Amino acid sequence: MSLTNTVAPDQDFAVYVHWPFCLSKCPYCDFNSHVRHGGYDETRYLAAIQAELAGTAARIGPRTVSSVFFGGGTPSLMQPTTVEGIINTIGKHWTLAGDAEISLEANPTSVEATRFRGYRAAGVNRVSLGVQALDDQSLKELGRLHSAEEALAAIAVARSIFDRYSFDLIYTRPRQTLEAWALELNRAIAEAAEHLSLYQLTIEPGTPFFGLHKAGKLVMPEEGLARDLFDLTQQLCADAGLPAYEVSNHARPGSECRHNLVYWRGHEYAGVGPGAHGRLNVDGRRYATETERKPEAWLDLVDTNGVGLTVDEKLQPGEVADEFLLMGLRLVEGIDPKRFAALSGRTLDPSRLAFLMDGGAVETMADGRLRVTPSGFPLLDAVVADLAA
């Protein structure tokens, strides 16, 4: 079978902007976030992000931007004028779609109405709040600086200013019961408008939680309870009109996060700022990019080279196909097996497919798309590994 171009037709194009600073480092977090008690030169970081945008645009040429996402770190520590400067620079180098989704992550501790109105005036039309729990004891254990009351107040501010908002919760927390989670999740659903991100707590290497867990000082729910918590989450959200569209994300139909869909559908995105990842299509080939993670070193690289890249790798067709499989099967909509075959030069192994179908882990839909079943989602990593082998 001959290989096709590794760039899919009619792809969306997104821009991810990483703001790496936080007020404190949460003990479960392995994201590229940094605390700078002595402060930092926000004007210099804005100029460096603008330089990276210019360098990326010069490399890939014209694009229509369907979404922009300010992630972190804590982007809500940025001044609205900084956000406006970045959005204006994106619009200078590319075409911003008239209905572009422009999202910004915020922590409840940095939410106040004046600043949020500034973001709205700058062009942000969607916010995502890192609430993480609606229980004060859990928030303290998770290292969060806000209370449940402050979180609810932040949601109210977001609701009053933005038509679109979402917030995150973490579950499968130590000592969490089904009854307690049902009460907390129902409270969250009552506060939600169109979207919730609900993540199971994972123990990541290199985090304080990893050391505590290894020492037996952080006891996670047993596997059976974790599965029950997952199933309860799916049921309560679906019953409330917020079905899962991705393994950890729930939305009313039509209100899915368009930016994240770019990732999961294997489309193109530019990543700028310290520690940002990107997938760029250049001359019909796919490139994986990463920037320097340490903010100060990233600044030096941008000053020297115009961009802060530490990885700029041309992906082989098989690697593009494996990413397409890995990301696409996270979605309830699944993947088109014909697209996988076009990217990889091979079809999915019929015997492996049959085994997974017989076990109820995957299914083929009427239009030929392949997706993971609700019972298969808790085993997603194993399912993808089996299909990719």
Side-chain angles (χ1 to χ4, degrees), residues 39-112:
Y40 47 84
D41 186 344
E42 187 164 331
T43 301
R44 188 182 176 198
Y45 279 94
L46 167 60
I49 289 172
Q50 290 173 318
E52 277 206 316
L53 288 167
T56 304
R59 178 183 185 184
I60 68 174
R63 294 288 190 276
T64 296
V65 179
S66 62
S67 68
V68 179
F69 196 97
F70 292 87
T74 307
S76 53
L77 295 177
M78 303 165 73
Q79 294 298 319
T81 52
T82 301
V83 173
E84 183 178 25
I86 293 169
I87 294 172
N88 288 343
T89 301
I90 292 170
K92 173 184 175 181
H93 294 293
W94 295 302
T95 300
L96 266 172
D99 63 345
E101 176 189 271
I102 303 180
S103 300
L104 182 140
E105 290 183 337
N107 276 342
T109 46
S110 58
V111 169
E112 44 100 355

Side-chain angles (χ1 to χ4, degrees), residues 227 230-231 234 360-361 363 371-378:
R227 174 59 186 268
F230 176 84
D231 290 342
Q234 308 313 302
E363 62 186 1
R371 69 178 180 184
V372 177
T373 64
S375 61
F377 266 127

Side-chain angles (χ1 to χ4, degrees), residues 231-368:
D231 290 342
L232 177 63
T233 301
Q234 308 313 302
Q235 177 187 337
L236 291 179
C237 288
D239 290 347
L242 290 161
Y245 68 97
E246 187 267 348
V247 65
S248 298
N249 284 272
H250 303 254
R252 303 195 188 283
S255 298
E256 299 84 358
C257 177
R258 291 174 57 189
H259 186 86
N260 285 342
L261 287 174
V262 168
Y263 301 156
W264 296 322
R265 288 173 173 167
H267 293 177
E268 182 187 22
Y269 57 99
V272 297
H277 291 227
R279 292 294 182 271
L280 299 177
N281 301 336
V282 184
D283 297 328
R285 294 302 300 271
R286 183 82 154 178
Y287 285 78
T289 66
E290 297 178 27
T291 58
E292 165 61 44
R293 290 173 60 87
K294 187 174 180 182
E296 295 79 10
W298 171 81
L299 280 175
D300 291 340
L301 273 177
V302 176
D303 286 346
T304 302
N305 303 324
V307 292
L309 291 175
T310 55
V311 174
D312 188 10
E313 178 186 359
K314 182 189 293 184
L315 296 176
Q316 297 303 308
E319 294 175 306
V320 178
D322 284 347
E323 279 197 356
F324 172 72
L325 189 70
L326 173 67
M327 301 300 283
L329 286 178
R330 296 183 64 87
L331 291 168
V332 170
E333 71 184 25
I335 64 163
D336 182 353
K338 293 179 181 177
R339 177 64 186 154
F340 175 83
L343 289 170
S344 65
R346 67 180 179 88
T347 58
L348 293 167
D349 187 323
S351 63
R352 292 181 183 275
L353 269 177
F355 173 76
L356 291 169
M357 286 180 179
D358 289 344
V362 299
E363 62 186 1
T364 300
M365 294 182 282
D367 61 359

